[in-house]
């Protein structure tokens, strides 16, 4: 079903597409040659590479180093804790929270966008507000930027739920 191969330092377990109507938990190092699709939420931790799309009816939570070569779509919130490289469009019907680094092409967020770290993308569309947390946080957009709400910089993250 799957096998190991060497790509530098860590050994990645290789898998085909993963589909489930329930929550999916992937712990790296793993490379998914196909797509990851869940009728609930998706949790990615460690070193994870997905060669095609990531699609969740719930939220997507990432902690570690994640690379997605296809589209990433969540009908819930997306949380990035660590490093995410997205080669295609990232679409969140809820909120997007970045604690670390997100490098992407097209970002479309229907809720609020919170950045505690670094965000770099080609095009950014936010239908809510953009909050940069801390003096070191940056948001760099190469081409077009559309933010419907306010752009706010805070010293620290608010205590209430995001």
């Amino acid at each position: 079903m799957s096998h190991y191969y060497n790509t530098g330092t860590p050994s990645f377990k290789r898998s085909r597409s993963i589909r489930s109507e329930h929550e999916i938990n992937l712990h790296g190092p793993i490379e998914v040659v196909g797509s990851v699709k869940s009728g609930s939420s998706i949790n990615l931790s460690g070193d994870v590479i997905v060669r095609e799309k990531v699609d969740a009816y719930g939220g997507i939570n990432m902690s570690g180093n994640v690379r997605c070569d296809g589209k990433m779509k969540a009908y819930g919130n997306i949380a990035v804790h660590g490093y995410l490289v997205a080669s295609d469009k990232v679409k969140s019907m809820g909120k997007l929270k970045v604690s670390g680094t997100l490098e992407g092409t097209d970002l479309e967020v229907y809720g609020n966008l919170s950045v505690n770290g670094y965000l770099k993308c080609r095009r950014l569309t936010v239908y809510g507000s953009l909050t940069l947390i801390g003096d070191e946080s940056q948001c760099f957009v190469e081409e077009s930027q559309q933010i419907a709400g306010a752009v706010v910089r805070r010293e620290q993250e608010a205590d209430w739920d995001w």
Side-chain angles (χ1 to χ4, degrees), residues 1 24 39 43 49 51 64 75-76 99 105 121 124 140 162:
M1 183 170 136
I24 295 175
N43 299 308
I49 299 171
R51 297 292 177 190
Y75 288 97
S99 298
T105 52
C121 62
L124 175 66
F140 179 70
W162 65 282

Side-chain angles (χ1 to χ4, degrees), residues 28-40:
I30 187 168
E31 177 183 12
V32 180
V33 179
S35 61
V36 178
K37 187 170 184 176
S38 172
S40 182

Side-chain angles (χ1 to χ4, degrees), residues 138-159:
Q138 295 181 348
C139 179
F140 179 70
V141 181
E142 293 175 353
E143 290 179 12
S144 66
Q145 171 178 307
Q146 296 177 342
I147 301 171
V151 178
V152 179
R153 180 174 293 277
R154 294 179 182 253
E155 290 292 321
Q156 61 188 18
E157 193 167 2
D159 289 339

Side-chain angles (χ1 to χ4, degrees), residues 18-159:
I18 299 170
R19 297 184 102 184
S20 175
E21 291 300 317
H22 305 287
E23 182 177 89
I24 295 175
N25 295 303
L26 293 178
H27 305 285
I30 187 168
E31 177 183 12
V32 180
V33 179
S35 61
V36 178
K37 187 170 184 176
S38 172
S40 182
S41 61
I42 298 174
N43 299 308
L44 306 173
S45 63
D47 295 326
V48 179
I49 299 171
V50 180
R51 297 292 177 190
E52 292 181 15
K53 68 180 179 176
V54 175
D55 193 356
Y57 192 72
I60 300 174
N61 295 306
M62 292 164 272
S63 61
N65 299 315
V66 178
R67 179 176 142 196
C68 181
D69 293 340
K71 293 181 180 180
M72 182 175 285
K73 182 177 180 182
Y75 288 97
N77 298 331
I78 297 177
V80 178
H81 301 281
Y83 191 83
L84 168 65
V85 175
S87 300
D88 207 335
K89 186 172 189 171
V90 176
K91 187 173 187 178
S92 173
M93 299 300 193
K95 301 170 186 174
L96 173 60
K97 182 176 182 180
V98 178
S99 298
T101 302
L102 190 157
E103 293 184 20
T105 52
D106 292 338
L107 269 72
E108 185 174 7
V109 182
Y110 282 81
N112 297 330
L113 171 59
S114 171
V115 179
N116 188 353
Y118 181 72
L119 171 72
K120 178 184 175 186
C121 62
R122 188 177 305 145
R123 287 179 289 280
L124 175 66
T125 304
V126 179
Y127 297 105
S129 64
L130 168 63
T131 304
L132 299 170
I133 301 168
D135 293 334
E136 303 295 318
S137 294
Q138 295 181 348
C139 179
F140 179 70
V141 181
E142 293 175 353
E143 290 179 12
S144 66
Q145 171 178 307
Q146 296 177 342
I147 301 171
V151 178
V152 179
R153 180 174 293 277
R154 294 179 182 253
E155 290 292 321
Q156 61 188 18
E157 193 167 2
D159 289 339

